[in-house]
Amino acid sequence: FIAANSFGTMFPKMNKMAMTLVGVTVSIILAVTGVVVRSYISSRSHLMGVDTDRVSGQEIFLPAWAYPDGESRLSFFRGAINLLEAKPEIETAAYVSQAPAARTDWSHLVTNGETLPNGERHTLRSRARTISAQYPLVTGLPILAGRGLSESDAAGGSRVALINAELARLLWPGEDPLGRQFLWVSESRDREARLATEVVGVVGNVRHGGPGTEPGPCLYVPLGLFNNPQSGWLVARTAGNPQALAPIFRETLHGLDERLALLAPQTLAELARQKNWRTLFATWVLTAVAGFALILALVGILGVVAYSVTNRMREFGIRLALGAGPESILRSVLANGAVMAGTGIAVGMIVAFAAMRFL
């Protein structure tokens, strides 16, 4: 911009080229910034696959010395859920081993038991989540087919699970997955584990890697079925501000065990923003650059036009002496400036369209 303005000032006959260059550059910057801002806005509009607006989560790590066995850990998490649901500020609460967009992510190898033409098993890697029965209700995870999980599933002894639509498509393409069984694969021994698990429901896809990532396959097993983990997330839905649940989490959990060291609770929206930090950073940087470019371009165009008017003062005096009115002089100046700026914007929009397609 400085070079364009200096160029137009030093060479008055090149004013049109200087203003056109400014218009082209500003058009490209504004168009590219618009694409990035739109990408960020769309990434926040329910692309996670779950409701992130009114849900807050508390990550918990149970010390092994205080909770040495699975039964004590399961009792703690179930007791915490019941106490949280008794709070008037909380509509419902649940447990999940890893919250959507959380820092950690666990996956397992699973197979549908079919053999490929080369003799190998049809295996794939899938995310795995341990959840309590109310988890779909808390997060708004849609159940597309079949049923959800219940508290009796873990106690019944039968191995059941929910799978998302992507895992259903990969394991049984074009077929009904309900009632089918998949096998867990042991990675250490490279053989199928003897854990046949029945699919009782199909749920929607969730972008556990954050907005803008592919959902990927995922399965959900009931809390208490396989093992009772020492860590996990307690998530709660509220009708008000989810950030207001922080003291409720702290009071409830310290009421169960005051020895627990608790991290600060986070809303699902905050977790999604942390996963989406690259787009957020680019959005803020480009917005600042675009705003500065727009201001600089306006100042530069004003300077070029003002310099052009100064050089034409003798011409304007002769026109006024010959009977021209001030309105005609003003129209001439504005028309000249509009033509130069319009040419730059027109050319810039053509280049910007190509840049947007590339971006």
Side-chain angles (χ1 to χ4, degrees):
F1 298 112
I2 297 175
N5 294 334
S6 301
F7 185 78
T9 302
M10 290 185 296
F11 303 96
K13 294 183 179 180
M14 299 297 183
N15 282 340
K16 180 179 293 187
M17 182 181 297
M19 292 185 63
T20 300
L21 178 60
V22 172
V24 170
T25 309
V26 172
S27 298
I28 296 174
I29 293 178
L30 292 179
V32 171
T33 302
V35 172
V36 175
V37 171
R38 185 179 64 179
S39 173
Y40 173 67
I41 293 174
S42 63
S43 70
R44 296 186 60 190
S45 58
H46 302 89
L47 290 184
M48 285 289 294
V50 292
D51 181 12
T52 62
D53 293 334
R54 298 189 294 126
V55 181
S56 182
Q58 172 71 65
E59 191 173 10
I60 298 174
F61 300 90
L62 297 179
W65 57 267
Y67 300 88
D69 56 84
E71 190 61 35
S72 61
R73 297 192 291 266
L74 179 62
S75 176
F76 173 86
F77 284 120
R78 286 180 172 171
I81 292 173
N82 293 334
L83 290 177
L84 288 173
E85 288 185 332
K87 302 293 182 179
E89 298 87 353
I90 294 178
E91 295 179 350
T92 183
Y95 168 88
V96 60
S97 52
Q98 287 92 34
R103 293 181 298 274
T104 56
D105 202 359
W106 299 99
S107 63
H108 294 274
L109 289 175
V110 296
T111 178
N112 58 5
E114 297 179 358
T115 304
L116 299 174
N118 59 6
E120 297 181 357
R121 287 293 190 185
H122 174 61
T123 60
L124 57 91
R125 183 168 292 277
S126 171
R127 287 185 173 92
R129 299 288 184 269
T130 299
I131 62 174
S132 62
Q134 295 294 91
Y135 178 73
L137 183 60
V138 173
T139 60
L141 179 65
I143 299 178
L144 306 179
R147 65 173 179 87
L149 300 177
S150 64
E151 297 294 340
S152 60
D153 286 329
S158 59
R159 298 186 179 93
V160 298
L162 303 176
I163 63 175
N164 70 344
E166 180 66 12
L167 181 56
R169 183 187 67 83
L170 294 175
L171 286 180
W172 300 285
E175 301 179 22
D176 184 8
L178 295 180
R180 308 288 290 269
Q181 290 187 339
F182 64 87
L183 298 174
W184 302 76
V185 178
S186 172
E187 298 184 53
S188 59
R189 300 182 181 181
D190 194 25
R191 63 179 179 82
E192 296 176 7
R194 301 293 182 179
L195 295 175
T197 305
E198 179 184 355
V199 177
V200 296
V202 179
V203 298
N205 295 326
V206 177
R207 300 180 189 273
H208 290 279
T213 62
E214 293 299 322
C218 185
L219 60 91
Y220 304 85
V221 297
L223 177 65
L225 180 59
F226 291 105
N227 58 356
N228 301 315
Q230 286 188 299
S231 63
W233 287 76
L234 289 173
V235 291
R237 169 181 289 273
T238 178
N241 183 6
Q243 294 180 339
L245 296 183
I248 297 178
F249 274 119
R250 184 169 55 252
E251 175 188 352
T252 301
L253 296 176
H254 279 164
L256 281 173
D257 190 345
E258 61 182 9
R259 302 167 297 179
L260 289 179
L262 300 177
L263 300 174
Q266 291 179 286
T267 66
L268 295 193
E270 290 173 338
L271 291 174
R273 283 196 295 271
Q274 291 174 3
K275 283 286 187 177
N276 207 29
W277 69 268
R278 290 181 179 87
T279 303
L280 179 60
F281 179 75
T283 301
W284 281 108
V285 170
L286 282 180
T287 300
V289 170
F292 179 72
L294 184 59
I295 295 174
L296 196 58
L298 293 176
V299 174
I301 290 175
L302 176 62
V304 172
V305 172
Y307 186 79
S308 175
V309 170
T310 301
N311 290 335
R312 297 175 63 188
M313 291 300 290
R314 182 182 298 272
E315 173 194 342
F316 296 153
I318 295 174
R319 289 189 178 187
L320 291 173
L322 294 177
E327 296 81 4
S328 64
I329 302 296
L330 179 61
R331 282 196 300 268
S332 174
V333 173
L334 294 180
N336 187 41
V339 168
M340 290 188 289
T343 303
I345 293 174
V347 175
M349 289 306 296
I350 296 175
V351 180
F353 179 77
M356 286 189 296
R357 298 286 295 179
F358 173 77
L359 185 63

